[in-house]
Amino acid sequence: ENSQGWILFLTSVIVGVVFLWIAWIFKRGANRIYSESSELNFRINYLEKKSWSICFLVANICNAIAWLYLAYRMTKEEWIYNLDIIIYATVLCVPVIIAIATAMWIKKQKNILNTDFFYILLIVLISLLLSAPLYTQGFYWSHDGVYHFSRNYSTNSGIISKQIPPLIVSNFCKNYGYSWNIFYPPLGTYISGFFSLFTSILDAMKLTIMLSIALSGISMFKLMKKISKNNNMSFITAIIYITAPYFLSDIYCRMAMGEVIAYMFFPLLFYGLYDIFYDSGKESYFLTIGALGIVLSHNISTLMAVVLSFIFVIFNIQKLFMKSTRKNIWTKLIINGSFIILISLFFYGPLLEHKMTTDYTAFVKGASKEAFLDHRIYPSQLIFGKTQPEWAYKLSTNKLNESMSFVL
């Protein structure tokens, strides 16, 4: 009986020493490489080593408890019954269960870290914070809000009347009809229209704005992650992007829904361009997604996107003619360009038809020149801009447009 006790004791000690030895080797082992980001590698290795260290510690504690239980039973009863063996084995099975659970938990955490889940979650939470003015009854006053609610209503009415695509709402302007979606890209109304299937038009517009803020941050995070391979830099850039005064003024001062929607597609546009020129081109479809999102959201943003894309291509023009890259780049650009043109024809087709066959002031040469000059901004306003009430702005004798802030 004494020999059996010593055997159990020595077995427990050996098991404990083995656990400690494995934990020591694991902790002293070289870090593994999981990603191109050194910061991400450090976080995963730290998580892995800390989790397994805790697991081995718990295993040792369970091993000690199991031996102490048997020692107590042998001292008290001078015998080990079958029930004691079952309890002993059960306690020793606990570390096995914990080890399996630890392995599964570590794998899940690796996936979360590798898929940028933590950063995206933070971006979404900050987006919800930036959406705080929307958490009220009613809606805030804005420059263009009434027009976008009107567009939402007219688009929904067109779809209900089986007008695909919905271009003209017949009961506007004393039943003469009005064509919101011929001259103004319709994507924003489609998004808010979808939400209005489940809620009021008011709440649908709020949800559209909240979605735009969150997706703008996520798309910028993904773009910077592709370029920099650094999570922190990508996260900071995304937060700067969605907290830019221009963007927030577009939402809470102007309610320029076209620009707000287009804002989330600019990073996707350059994600696709960057992938074509600097990577394999396997994700070049983001060029089509980004470009279509901008084209179908806002006309002036489309012009800006064309200019910025042209500048990007000029800076990388040597790649268009390098023997090793030109075939892949030209192929991707032509394919994506074809998709962009073909898919956007449902909007630009009717627009061009009306331009060529009818007489609208908007298409008269020089019709808007004077308006553009009267509303231009000065470089100083990008740094020291201020906002005046509408009545004060109209009575002002200076030439500065102070209807809203233009500070970058």
Side-chain angles (χ1 to χ4, degrees), residues 339-356:
F339 273 107
I340 293 166
I341 293 171
L342 291 173
I343 296 175
S344 61
L345 276 178
F346 82 92
F347 168 69
Y348 278 109
L351 176 64
L352 294 174
E353 179 188 7
H354 281 76
K355 184 182 187 304
M356 292 185 291

Side-chain angles (χ1 to χ4, degrees), residues 75-115:
T75 303
K76 185 177 181 180
E77 302 290 339
E78 297 184 354
W79 189 255
I80 299 176
Y81 297 95
N82 290 337
L83 179 61
D84 297 322
I85 299 296
I86 292 172
I87 294 174
Y88 177 80
T90 301
V91 175
L92 288 183
C93 283
V94 172
V96 177
I97 297 171
I98 292 175
I100 294 172
T102 301
M104 294 174 64
W105 184 80
I106 290 174
K107 183 178 180 181
K108 183 178 180 181
Q109 295 304 309
K110 285 181 184 177
N111 291 334
I112 290 174
L113 290 171
N114 278 320
T115 55

Side-chain angles (χ1 to χ4, degrees), residues 39-66:
E39 177 208 352
L40 183 60
N41 283 326
F42 172 78
R43 291 181 62 191
I44 293 178
N45 277 283
Y46 176 78
L47 171 72
E48 199 169 32
K49 291 182 177 182
K50 182 179 180 181
S51 300
W52 282 117
S53 296
I54 294 173
C55 179
F56 288 130
L57 175 62
V58 172
N60 260 331
I61 292 173
C62 289
N63 179 58
I65 290 173

